[in-house]
Amino acid sequence: MLIWRTQVRWAECDVAGIIYHAHLFDWFSESRIQWLMAHDLDYYKILRPRGIELLVRHAEAQFFHAMHPGDLVAVDVELTGLSPTRARFTYRVLRDDITQQETSRGMTEHIFVQQGHASRVDRHNPDLFARFQAAYSQSQ
């Protein structure tokens, strides 16, 4: 698990001053990029230079409590599913204060794509798949 921290910005909110739901997926993306970096799978320095993308196959989110500009937020991201062709990440969004109140949670499922085609990472990049497996094993 990795914790990525941010603060709700006014630009992320709707006219009512509540975070606009689509920005939660931006937080998922940013936290996932940090997770990859922390596990020696840097998206911009390792995966993309090899032509590997993690394309979103499915994404979902649940909302429990509103967030407002200035709120401090911690996003817990974890790799919770792995196969040679897919990876699944789950996210918990918490207030980064004394309450640690869970405001939302979500999941993204990704397909490994290389050079524009679905790819088995274990066959075409076994060293990278081994890194994913090691990270996945740590979270179990």
Side-chain angles (χ1 to χ4, degrees), residues 72-124:
L72 299 175
V73 178
V75 180
D76 293 348
V77 58
E78 187 172 1
L79 180 65
T80 55
L82 180 67
S83 77
T85 59
R86 294 186 184 164
R88 182 179 64 245
F89 291 88
T90 57
Y91 313 85
R92 289 182 61 228
V93 180
L94 309 168
R95 292 192 192 286
D96 199 11
D97 62 16
I98 192 100
T99 68
Q100 292 291 297
Q101 180 185 47
E102 185 177 17
T103 63
S104 49
R105 71 173 69 135
M107 180 275 295
T108 57
E109 184 178 78
H110 304 264
I111 297 173
F112 291 109
V113 172
Q114 189 164 17
Q115 308 300 336
H117 301 284
S119 178
R120 287 187 57 113
V121 177
D122 62 332
R123 289 184 187 160
H124 302 289

Side-chain angles (χ1 to χ4, degrees), residues 78-81 135-140:
E78 187 172 1
L79 180 65
T80 55
Y136 181 65
S137 295
Q138 290 174 0
S139 67
Q140 300 304 304

Side-chain angles (χ1 to χ4, degrees), residues 4 8 27 86:
W4 177 77
V8 178
W27 292 355
R86 294 186 184 164

Side-chain angles (χ1 to χ4, degrees), residues 5-138:
R5 290 180 162 80
T6 191
Q7 183 174 21
V8 178
R9 299 175 310 136
W10 180 256
E12 295 171 317
C13 295
D14 60 20
V15 296
I18 298 170
I19 188 161
Y20 180 66
H21 69 278
H23 289 292
L24 191 65
F25 293 100
D26 293 336
W27 292 355
F28 292 172
S29 178
E30 289 298 324
S31 63
R32 185 174 60 253
I33 297 274
Q34 293 302 311
W35 184 95
L36 289 166
M37 190 182 306
H39 291 89
D40 197 26
L41 291 160
D42 190 295
Y43 198 69
Y44 300 109
K45 294 180 181 175
I46 296 173
L47 299 179
R48 293 200 79 210
R50 292 195 194 188
I52 298 170
E53 301 284 347
L54 292 171
L55 295 187
V56 176
R57 178 182 178 276
H58 179 82
E60 61 185 51
Q62 294 175 290
F63 301 88
F64 309 119
H65 300 282
M67 293 175 282
H68 304 278
D71 287 352
L72 299 175
V73 178
V75 180
D76 293 348
V77 58
E78 187 172 1
L79 180 65
T80 55
L82 180 67
S83 77
T85 59
R86 294 186 184 164
R88 182 179 64 245
F89 291 88
T90 57
Y91 313 85
R92 289 182 61 228
V93 180
L94 309 168
R95 292 192 192 286
D96 199 11
D97 62 16
I98 192 100
T99 68
Q100 292 291 297
Q101 180 185 47
E102 185 177 17
T103 63
S104 49
R105 71 173 69 135
M107 180 275 295
T108 57
E109 184 178 78
H110 304 264
I111 297 173
F112 291 109
V113 172
Q114 189 164 17
Q115 308 300 336
H117 301 284
S119 178
R120 287 187 57 113
V121 177
D122 62 332
R123 289 184 187 160
H124 302 289
N125 292 277
D127 60 320
L128 295 181
F129 189 65
R131 291 183 209 171
F132 273 101
Q133 284 182 306
Y136 181 65
S137 295
Q138 290 174 0

